[in-house]
């Protein structure tokens, strides 16, 4: 099958990839927008996760071909299997997303209700491993993705379409905490799982390469534009302690810097746009209201029926005031917007003063960090990406965060604090802040 993509041009799918595309589980992504409420700020941003996922798969194939164009595999069949599994893992990396993406995770069921059997094979140290049977751990979209891959009608399609590997192998590239069931990812004593999973999810993955270009295109902005071809053409590999990791040629290091900054600015200027944020906050207020009767099912077949349209229809029929504000496009209005690199007491003080005068306030604090390398949690820390020099053979490869100053320059989080009030309270709220010099 050939698909015409406005971002990448022609995308060619194999018979196996087409079989997966035709499943109800994957077709569901047509009805889930990539950017949720962003279309209220950027009217062109109506693109969906269906096409985004195809774009990720397309780039994953190009990256794989670049990295392994002259790699000495033991057999040609090994290379073919690794390429197939990388592309299909990229195609299915988002298959578990809920309606309007992350916000509806508030109404996902307890993780234990999903009965994800393969989580028995998670590596020690993952917090959820010891809490699998606890009702206090809520499922998220990644859990639904693993459920789709390993225990759903999609699982059977994968088994038939890809006889050379199992759905569990695909899940291992999507979730790095799963233990591989066998030596599938080994060839000539080398473990290829790190680099294959990094192509799907890392600081320089195909997911980000696609959504930055795609979101920028549909939003009509320049923030997310990067030199994608130069990045892909300079992708490489580096063998360290028997494991193969993603690497980048040093000559493309500045392009990597630009890639990270572009993503950072897309968060600050597009993903954190004040209109998108207030709709997400109002939806969150509805979903956490005592009278909310919208819940995502644990049954994977029922979950397939839930998409953006079903949620919007529900909101339109709900009597809850927050649901009605969303349905009728009557959001709270931004009163204050503060940009900081450190937490400030001002928003809390303003909110307290306004509420003391009987004004309802929504305080939204959006924080953006440049990179996963900032995380302190060992199980969430990104796998290392190395910088290699194809011209200087004496140059020793080093982790990418030690090869550029971009991580140090953007070390702190960027914080956008906003206070929102109902439009009919705006003038009075503004006067209160002025009078109290807040």
């Amino acid at each position: 099958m050939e698909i015409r993509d406005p971002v990448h041009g022609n995308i060619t799918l194999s018979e196996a990839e087409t079989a997966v595309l035709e499943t109800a589980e994957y077709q569901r992504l047509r009805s889930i927008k990539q950017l949720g409420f962003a279309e209220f700020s950027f009217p062109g941003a109506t693109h969906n996760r269906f096409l985004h996922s195809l774009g990720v798969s397309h780039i994953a194939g190009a990256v794989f071909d670049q990295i392994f164009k002259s790699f000495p595999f033991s057999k040609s069949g090994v290379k073919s299997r690794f390429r197939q599994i990388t592309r299909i893992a990229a195609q299915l990396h988002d298959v578990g997303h809920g309606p309007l993406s992350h916000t509806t995770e508030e109404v996902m069921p307890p993780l234990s209700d999903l009965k994800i059997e393969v989580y028995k094979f998670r590596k020690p140290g993952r917090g959820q491993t010891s809490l699998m049977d606890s009702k206090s751990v809520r499922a998220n979209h990644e859990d639904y993705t693993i459920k789709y891959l390993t225990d759903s009608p999609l699982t059977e399609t994968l088994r038939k379409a890809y006889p050379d590997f199992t759905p569990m192998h695909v899940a291992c590239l999507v979730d790095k905490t799963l233990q591989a069931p066998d030596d599938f990812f080994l060839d000539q004593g080398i473990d290829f799982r790190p680099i294959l999973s990094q192509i799907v999810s890392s600081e320089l993955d195909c997911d980000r390469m696609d959504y930055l270009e795609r979101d920028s295109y549909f939003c009509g902005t320049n923030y997310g534009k990067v030199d994608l071809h130069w990045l892909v053409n300079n992708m490489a590999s580096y063998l360290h302690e028997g494991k193969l990791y993603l690497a980048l040629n040093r000559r493309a290091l500045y392009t990597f810097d630009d890639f990270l900054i572009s993503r950072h600015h897309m968060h600050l200027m597009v993903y954190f746009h004040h209109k998108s944020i207030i709709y997400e906050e109002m939806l969150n207020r509805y979903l956490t209201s005592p009278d909310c009767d919208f819940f995502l099912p644990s049954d994977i077949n029922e979950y397939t029926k839930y998409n953006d349209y079903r949620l919007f229809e529900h909101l339109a029929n709900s009597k809850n005031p927050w649901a009605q504000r969303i349905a009728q496009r009557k959001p709270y209005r931004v009163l204050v917007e503060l940009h900081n690199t450190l937490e400030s007491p001002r928003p809390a003080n303003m909110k307290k003063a306004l509420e003391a005068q009987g004004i309802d306030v929504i305080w939204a604090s959006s924080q953006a960090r440049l990179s996963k390398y900032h995380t302190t949690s060992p199980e969430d820390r990104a796998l290392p990406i190395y910088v290699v020099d194809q011209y200087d053979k004496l140059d020793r490869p080093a982790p990418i965060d030690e090869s550029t100053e971009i991580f140090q320059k953007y070390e702190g989080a960027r914080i956008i604090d906003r206070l929102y009030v109902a439009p009919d309270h705006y003038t009075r709220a503004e006067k209160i802040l002025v009078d109290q010099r807040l």
Side-chain angles (χ1 to χ4, degrees), residues 147-160 167:
K147 181 69 174 181
Y148 269 133
L149 292 174
T150 61
D151 187 19
S152 75
L154 175 62
T155 312
E156 297 307 312
T157 301
L158 286 171
R159 286 198 180 104
K160 292 177 183 178

Side-chain angles (χ1 to χ4, degrees), residues 284-341:
N284 185 68
R285 282 205 172 190
Y286 168 60
L287 296 177
T288 56
S289 296
D291 62 336
C292 173
D293 55 356
F294 182 85
F295 300 97
L296 293 173
S298 58
D299 182 276
I300 200 65
N301 294 315
E302 285 299 310
Y303 185 74
T304 302
K305 301 173 184 177
Y306 281 72
N307 54 39
D308 289 0
Y309 301 109
R310 182 160 183 166
L311 175 55
F312 276 118
E313 182 179 6
H314 173 89
L315 294 172
N317 292 320
S318 173
K319 295 180 180 179
N320 180 279
W322 296 110
Q324 281 302 299
R325 279 193 175 273
I326 298 171
Q328 297 176 22
R329 295 285 309 278
K330 295 181 178 180
Y332 271 29
R333 182 179 171 185
V334 61
L335 174 68
V336 175
E337 180 174 292
L338 304 173
H339 295 252
N340 296 291
T341 55

Side-chain angles (χ1 to χ4, degrees), residues 191-202:
D191 185 359
F192 284 79
R193 182 181 174 185
I195 191 170
L196 299 184
S197 64
Q198 284 179 304
I199 292 174
V200 178
S201 177
S202 68

